[in-house]
Amino acid sequence: MTATTQRTPAAVGATRPRQAQRVNRRRETRAALLFISPWIVGFLVLTLWPVLYSGYLSLTDYDVFNAPNFVGLENYQRLAADDDARRAIGNTFFYAVIQVPLQVIVSLALALLLNQAGRSSGFFRTVFFLPRMTPPVAVGVLLLLLFNGQDGLINEVLGWFGIDGPNWTTDSAWVKPGLILMSLWAVGSSVIILLAALRNVPTELYDAARVDGANPWQKTTRITVPMISGALFFVFIINSIDALQSFTEAYTAYFGAGNSTYSNEAAEFYSIYLFREAFEFLHMGYASALAWVLFVIILAITLVQLKVSKRFVYYEGDQR
Amino acid sequence: MTASIESTSVRRQNVGRSAAVAGVGGLGGGRRRRITPGRVLVVAALLACSVVFIYPFVWLVSASFKPRGEVFDNQIIPETFTLQNYVQVWQEAPMLLWLGNTVLVTVLAATTVTLSSALVAWGFSYFRFPGRNALFGLVLATMMLPGAVTMIPTFLIWNAVGLTDTLYPLWAGNLFGSAFYIFLLRQFFLGLPRELFDAAKIDGANNWQLFSRIALPLTKPAIIVTLLFEFQAAWTDLMRPLIYLRDSSNFTIPRGLKSLVDRYGFGGEWHWEIIVTASVITTVPMIILFFLGQRHFVEGIATTGSKG
């Protein structure tokens, strides 16, 4: 463990240094493993075992109180025929397919604006980031209040323009759009990532474009967007993974004790369905199967995105 | 819009120059510049957006000072100003207890995950040993695993050792490091010059001293980012408190707020003034945290993006 390993008596013959080197290496490995050991223990106990056990549970019927009862692939067959699960998947995809592109577009627009703002950009960046600090539970509360159909602020503002706003929180056709709009409030970190990327675009490119007579729209679409495509793609993937696991805001607003009174099926995302199956109905076996299907879905979508991105994404210094 | 982007090239040159002077193309913003119509338009657009981002806070804080009947009146200045909600929320719910629980959990979660992740990150960045890259690949691979897969067996572990309905499950897992922070901290450790450690070794420093006396102090910004990120994550988490906590005296503040929503919201007694006030109390510490560590938050997130 100490620095003594370094003292190699080099002059004592040909075999000794090699031996010392081997001892050295073994000591270095041992020291490294000592530093890494917290992760190794955590990986074995809190990741590897749970993954294996979850796989096993997904093949059983288990309610915590009685021992798991092996049922083979029954849970997966049930899942394939489960209308509630299908609705939850539909809700989740509806949300993700609209929310993710919207979030990327909105954060790109804000980042482009910020990049033009000069000295005031620091102030506005803070403003745009603040909602991100709000606990998602409080965001769920805000959703119920601001999007309230009768007296909510959103409908009042829509009313100024003569628009009769929908019942965002009770009409099942408008529950997900409400959740999507509310989620856009928290685009702050995407804005920061994109802004940092914008600041790294070499200015010569714009000068060259100006000489060539490019208009602002051309500069944005032909230079800016391609140059930050790496960051755009990163934001896209991270937001996709988040959106597919969206839980807290919708759960706060539409689920939990005493929330049976109004339409919340439209807000039952996959994660919420899984959570309720596991911890409200104690269908631990079935919920484990749901979890594995979620894993496969996320993995597949991410891999497809990675594959597609190879065509569009430009990385600086990428010579491959 | 057109005019605003017209000024782009001028601005670009300026940014290029000032960045060159400062030595970095960092997040700092530009130097003094002429006021152009374009810039005025940009700032006007940003101000309009700011209203959208700030107003929900204003609405919430304002509503917390309104009596029950006026919560939904959408006025900035309360018609009837009252502090009654803040008195009442303290009587209706053990807010102080919930805040105490949350502070305990967040402090423990943040310090343990930072220390353990730093140790592991150091192990992966300084030492050379067979299988290092494969093992680190495994660390990164665990980031791809959705929490849902490990959620149930992890609950069963805590259940088996009889620690459900305590605060332990909310932070103790952090003793073993977290893949994301290990990745983040390793990037910073790799940036330290190796000669520094060779010199210290010659001076007789052991491996622990290399880590604690040299590496840690030199990566202070990254350590602070880790602390802040985890502090926020632990403070705002709802899922784990929902899974593990039954007795309301063990609740963290988001779990408590959720119980108030259940009791006083649309499914309950319609006392929205209490929910609104509890929401403010839940949110304010995070706003304070942001202003304390603003620079680190922004730089941490920007780094995350560029390293991804």
Side-chain angles (χ1 to χ4, degrees), chain B residues 41-125:
Chain B
L41 264 175
V42 167
V43 172
L46 284 167
L47 277 173
C49 295
S50 301
V51 173
V52 176
F53 281 89
I54 287 297
Y55 202 79
F57 289 114
V58 177
W59 192 98
L60 197 68
V61 171
S62 160
S64 74
F65 293 111
K66 295 171 185 171
R68 184 180 181 186
E70 293 170 21
V71 168
F72 279 99
D73 69 2
N74 294 331
Q75 299 200 16
I76 302 186
I77 315 283
E79 217 162 291
T80 329
F81 184 90
T82 172
L83 288 170
Q84 186 55 34
N85 299 333
Y86 284 88
V87 178
Q88 207 184 341
V89 78
W90 244 264
Q91 292 166 345
E92 297 285 333
M95 295 298 281
L96 216 53
L97 194 60
W98 291 349
L99 280 171
N101 289 339
T102 316
V103 168
L104 187 68
V105 166
T106 46
V107 167
L108 285 169
T111 49
T112 52
V113 91
T114 306
L115 189 66
S116 57
S117 301
L119 280 170
V120 176
W122 177 245
F124 274 117
S125 56

Side-chain angles (χ1 to χ4, degrees), chain B residues 86-224:
Chain B
Y86 284 88
V87 178
Q88 207 184 341
V89 78
W90 244 264
Q91 292 166 345
E92 297 285 333
M95 295 298 281
L96 216 53
L97 194 60
W98 291 349
L99 280 171
N101 289 339
T102 316
V103 168
L104 187 68
V105 166
T106 46
V107 167
L108 285 169
T111 49
T112 52
V113 91
T114 306
L115 189 66
S116 57
S117 301
L119 280 170
V120 176
W122 177 245
F124 274 117
S125 56
Y126 179 68
F127 301 103
R128 278 162 288 205
F129 57 95
R132 180 178 73 168
N133 292 341
L135 210 54
F136 190 67
L138 197 58
V139 174
L140 296 185
T142 60
M143 275 201 271
M144 276 302 296
L145 195 70
V149 174
T150 52
M151 181 171 81
I152 292 169
T154 308
F155 168 78
L156 296 174
I157 293 175
W158 287 110
N159 196 36
V161 294
L163 287 176
T164 53
D165 209 9
T166 70
L167 297 177
Y168 289 102
L170 306 188
W171 64 269
N174 283 0
L175 284 166
F176 307 106
S178 152
F180 173 71
Y181 300 127
I182 293 171
F183 171 71
L184 189 75
L185 290 166
R186 179 176 166 273
Q187 294 296 112
F188 280 85
F189 285 140
L190 286 176
L192 301 175
R194 220 177 159 80
E195 300 81 53
L196 213 60
F197 302 104
D198 293 340
K201 257 169 133 177
I202 291 167
D203 290 345
N206 62 33
N207 279 326
W208 172 254
Q209 288 165 331
L210 292 183
F211 170 70
S212 63
R213 299 269 179 82
I214 303 176
L216 272 189
L218 285 176
T219 44
K220 212 160 130 199
I223 300 288
I224 293 174

Side-chain angles (χ1 to χ4, degrees), chain B residues 15 26-27 92 109 113 121 129-130 149 151 208 230 236 290 296 301:
Chain B
V15 167
L27 296 168
E92 297 285 333
V113 91
F129 57 95
V149 174
M151 181 171 81
W208 172 254
E230 186 60 20
T236 57
F290 177 69
H296 296 284
I301 289 165

Side-chain angles (χ1 to χ4, degrees), chain A residues 122-133:
Chain A
F123 167 77
F124 289 116
R125 194 179 55 197
T126 301
V127 168
F128 295 157
F129 188 75
L130 268 182
R132 186 77 216 186
M133 296 303 292

Side-chain angles (χ1 to χ4, degrees), chain B residues 251-303:
Chain B
F251 282 1
T252 58
I253 192 100
R255 178 68 187 90
L257 176 55
K258 173 61 181 143
S259 75
L260 293 179
V261 174
D262 291 343
R263 193 165 4 138
Y264 297 118
F266 288 119
E269 299 167 26
W270 292 54
H271 274 288
W272 282 94
E273 74 284 4
I274 290 183
I275 297 173
V276 159
T277 310
S279 299
V280 172
I281 296 170
T282 309
T283 306
V284 163
M286 287 297 96
I287 305 294
I288 295 172
L289 184 73
F290 177 69
F291 280 110
L292 287 178
Q294 186 178 356
R295 194 168 55 87
H296 296 284
F297 265 111
V298 170
E299 276 168 17
I301 289 165
T303 314

Side-chain angles (χ1 to χ4, degrees), chain A residues 26 202 312 320:
Chain A
R26 201 173 306 148
F312 300 111
R320 278 166 286 168

Side-chain angles (χ1 to χ4, degrees), chain A:
Chain A
M1 273 300 284
T2 54
T4 51
T5 52
Q6 212 56 346
R7 267 182 250 136
T8 333
V12 201
T15 50
R16 293 288 287 276
R18 198 173 298 160
Q19 217 167 20
Q21 214 177 18
R22 205 179 306 142
V23 172
N24 249 355
R25 192 162 299 163
R26 201 173 306 148
R27 283 196 182 157
E28 186 167 1
T29 303
R30 208 181 307 147
L33 289 179
L34 208 61
F35 275 97
I36 295 170
S37 58
W39 178 80
I40 293 176
V41 174
F43 174 75
L44 294 176
V45 178
L46 294 177
T47 304
L48 187 61
W49 184 81
V51 165
L52 297 175
Y53 197 66
S54 163
Y56 163 70
L57 277 183
S58 76
L59 305 174
T60 69
D61 211 4
Y62 183 50
D63 65 357
V64 185
F65 303 110
N66 304 297
N69 175 28
F70 192 81
V71 294
L73 291 173
E74 211 173 87
N75 285 325
Y76 291 95
Q77 285 160 353
R78 182 180 150 200
L79 207 165
D82 182 351
D83 285 341
D84 292 342
R86 201 168 302 156
R87 190 187 53 227
I89 292 175
N91 284 339
T92 309
F93 278 140
F94 180 99
Y95 178 81
V97 165
I98 298 176
Q99 196 265 353
V100 175
L102 265 183
Q103 169 138 10
V104 174
I105 290 167
V106 168
S107 47
L108 177 63
L110 290 174
L112 284 169
L113 273 177
L114 275 177
N115 201 31
Q116 305 290 324
R119 276 185 304 162
S120 59
S121 74
F123 167 77
F124 289 116
R125 194 179 55 197
T126 301
V127 168
F128 295 157
F129 188 75
L130 268 182
R132 186 77 216 186
M133 296 303 292
T134 313
V137 189
V139 177
V141 170
L142 273 172
L143 167 76
L144 285 177
L145 296 166
L146 299 178
F147 283 83
N148 181 282
Q150 274 80 53
D151 331 285
L153 181 69
I154 303 290
N155 278 359
E156 187 174 317
V157 173
L158 287 176
W160 298 345
F161 302 97
I163 301 168
D164 192 13
N167 283 318
W168 300 92
T169 57
T170 52
D171 182 344
S172 53
W174 288 99
V175 162
K176 280 188 288 291
L179 279 161
I180 291 169
L181 286 176
M182 194 69 221
S183 78
L184 293 180
W185 190 49
V187 294
S189 31
S190 302
V191 175
I192 287 177
I193 291 171
L194 294 179
L195 181 62
L198 285 175
R199 295 252 159 98
N200 282 331
V201 178
T203 55
E204 303 89 67
L205 292 177
Y206 294 100
D207 299 338
R210 189 169 44 109
V211 171
D212 290 346
N215 64 35
W217 174 251
Q218 285 170 326
K219 281 183 199 166
T220 307
T221 54
R222 303 274 170 81
I223 300 176
T224 310
V225 171
M227 285 304 288
I228 63 163
S229 53
L232 277 171
F233 176 64
F234 176 77
V235 167
F236 197 87
I237 279 209
I238 293 292
N239 282 325
S240 304
I241 293 173
D242 280 355
L244 291 171
Q245 300 182 72
S246 178
F247 174 83
T248 305
E249 292 86 347
Y251 187 86
T252 303
Y254 299 116
F255 295 90
N259 239 334
S260 55
T261 44
Y262 57 104
S263 155
N264 58 14
E265 285 186 347
E268 193 168 38
F269 293 135
Y270 197 86
S271 292
I272 296 177
Y273 184 61
L274 195 165
F275 174 86
R276 300 183 71 203
E277 281 295 317
F279 297 104
E280 283 180 23
F281 311 122
L282 297 180
H283 300 154
M284 298 271 180
Y286 186 53
S288 298
L290 285 168
W292 277 96
V293 170
L294 176 69
F295 179 37
V296 171
I297 291 175
I298 291 179
L299 195 65
I301 289 178
T302 309
L303 288 178
V304 168
Q305 288 177 340
L306 277 171
K307 191 120 198 169
V308 172
S309 81
K310 291 243 165 72
R311 250 189 242 173
F312 300 111
V313 177
Y314 166 82
Y315 289 104
E316 212 173 332
D318 189 1
Q319 302 295 332
R320 278 166 286 168

